[in-house]
Each structure stands twice: as C-alpha cells, then as structure tokens.
Amino acid sequence: MYTNREVAAVRSTDSVLATNKVIRNTYMLLSMTLLFSALTAGISMVFNLPHPGMILTLVGYFGLLFLTTKFRNSGLGVVFVFALTGFMGLTLGPIISAYMSLPNGGQLVMTALGGTGVIFIGLSAYALTTRKDFSFMAGFLMSGILVAFLAGIGAAIFNIPALALGVSAMFVLLMSALILFETSNIIHGGETNYVMATVSLYVAIYNLFLSLLHLLGAFSGDD
C-alpha cells in the first residue's frame, strides 16, 4: 500500500513529465511551423503574389483556426496547423516585399525580426525559469485583443494612420503578454494540447513581428 505522500509524489512526477512533454512538443512544432511559414512567405515574394486582402485573410485565418481547433486531438490537427501557418506566411510575403522596396527596407525587416526573436526568447525564458502564474491576465488579454482587433479593422477601413500606429503599439504589448500567459499556461497545466499551444504562440509571434515592422517603418519616416 502506498501512503498519501507517496501517491502525491507519483502524481506530481507524472504531472511534471506531462508538462515537459507538452513544452517539448509545442516548441518543436512551433519551430517547424515558423520555418514553413517563412518558406511560404518566401514563395509569395519570389512569385510577387498579391496580398489576398483583409476579408479573404480573415476568412482563411478563422476558417483554418476553426478546423485546427476541431481536430486538435487528432493527426489532422497538425495538418491544419501547417495549413494555417502556411497561409499566414503567404499573406506575410507581400507585406515584407512592400517594406523591402523601401530605401532601408532590409534593415527594417531584419530589425523587426530580431526584435521579435529577442522578445519571444526573453519572455519565454522568464516564464519557464521563474514558473510564475500569469493566468490572471486571461481577462485582460481577451478584452484587449478584441478591442485592438476591432480598432485595427476600423483603422484599415477608414484609413486612419494614427489609429493604426496606436493599434500596432497595443499589439506589441498584448502579444508580449500572450507569450507570458501561454507559456505559463503550459507550465501550470492549463494548456495540455500542444497543437493549440503552438497556434497561440505562432499568432503572438506573427502579430508581434508585423506590429514591430509597422512601428519601425513609421518612426523611420518610410511607412
């Protein structure tokens, strides 16, 4: 017979192993999807594909996100993750091409890419090493992302540069918070599905990169 303390120790060990497995699988899948997204963005740039537009982008994103969520517990979930990130890479290619056409476009893109990497690695390492619980940010993130998303649509429709700039600044803060929240969520067992964890972190990285690129372009006077 096991004592209560021994049972608790076994359960704690199992929980740690399960968490480590989710973290390992999440970062492995995230790395592959980022590379695949970069590949599709590169293809889009090489063939000079036009941007699909806001409506098609939103339909494609939410449609593939729905399918990924629906099949998250099966092998199809991984397939739809690659479909989603590949599609987002295609939408990213024309945007990068537009910035690359600027006099200092290459520097802007590389700075935004480097900044995204530093922020992601720094915040992920902080959450993993400190193991702080950031679940309290759930409500803030939900409402903040919704407000920023609607404001971004408004800025695009009514062509308000100042609002668009403010939305980009908001997204830098919100996506940084999302990285902390999602990493903490994995550590503390709130997220046990590595497919959904990958999608959340990918979306954070994608929007963080675009927002930094927009801000850098604006402050350099070329946006």
Side-chain angles (χ1 to χ4, degrees):
M1 295 293 292
Y2 291 105
T3 64
N4 290 337
R5 180 175 297 179
E6 289 172 330
V7 170
V10 170
R11 289 178 177 174
S12 178
T13 301
D14 290 343
S15 177
V16 170
L17 291 175
T19 297
N20 290 339
K21 182 179 180 180
V22 174
I23 292 174
R24 183 175 64 253
N25 289 342
T26 296
Y27 282 101
M28 185 179 299
L29 182 59
L30 180 63
S31 299
M32 291 189 291
T33 54
L34 287 172
L35 288 173
F36 184 63
S37 187
L39 175 63
T40 57
I43 292 174
S44 177
M45 294 172 67
V46 169
F47 290 97
N48 198 27
L49 299 179
H51 193 276
M54 182 174 64
I55 294 178
L56 186 57
T57 297
L58 292 177
V59 171
Y61 169 72
F62 284 110
L64 290 169
L65 179 61
F66 170 79
L67 291 172
T68 302
T69 303
K70 182 177 181 180
F71 294 102
R72 63 186 179 276
N73 294 316
S74 69
L76 278 176
V78 176
V79 173
F80 284 121
V81 166
F82 278 98
L84 172 62
T85 55
F87 173 73
M88 296 310 292
L90 288 174
T91 67
L92 186 62
I95 299 174
I96 295 178
S97 293
Y99 277 94
M100 291 293 288
S101 66
L102 300 175
N104 62 337
Q107 182 180 354
L108 288 175
V109 172
M110 293 308 298
T111 302
L113 186 63
T116 301
V118 169
I119 292 173
F120 176 74
I121 293 173
L123 293 177
S124 297
Y126 178 76
L128 288 168
T129 54
T130 64
R131 304 186 74 84
K132 288 186 177 180
D133 188 355
F134 291 97
S135 59
F136 64 89
M137 293 196 299
F140 160 75
L141 282 170
M142 184 177 297
S143 58
I145 291 174
L146 178 60
V147 170
F149 175 72
L150 294 176
I153 292 177
I157 292 176
F158 298 105
N159 192 24
I160 308 175
L163 179 58
L165 195 62
V167 169
S168 292
M170 286 178 63
F171 264 110
V172 169
L173 296 176
L174 288 167
M175 293 304 104
S176 297
L178 181 59
I179 292 170
L180 282 174
F181 172 80
E182 190 60 35
T183 306
S184 170
N185 210 22
I186 297 171
I187 294 171
H188 296 283
E191 179 58 84
T192 58
N193 188 289
Y194 69 92
V195 169
M196 298 312 299
T198 297
V199 170
S200 294
L201 290 175
Y202 175 86
V203 169
I205 292 171
Y206 180 93
N207 285 304
L208 182 58
F209 171 71
L210 276 184
S211 299
L212 285 175
L213 188 57
H214 182 204
L215 291 171
L216 288 169
F219 288 118
S220 70
D222 292 319
D223 196 23

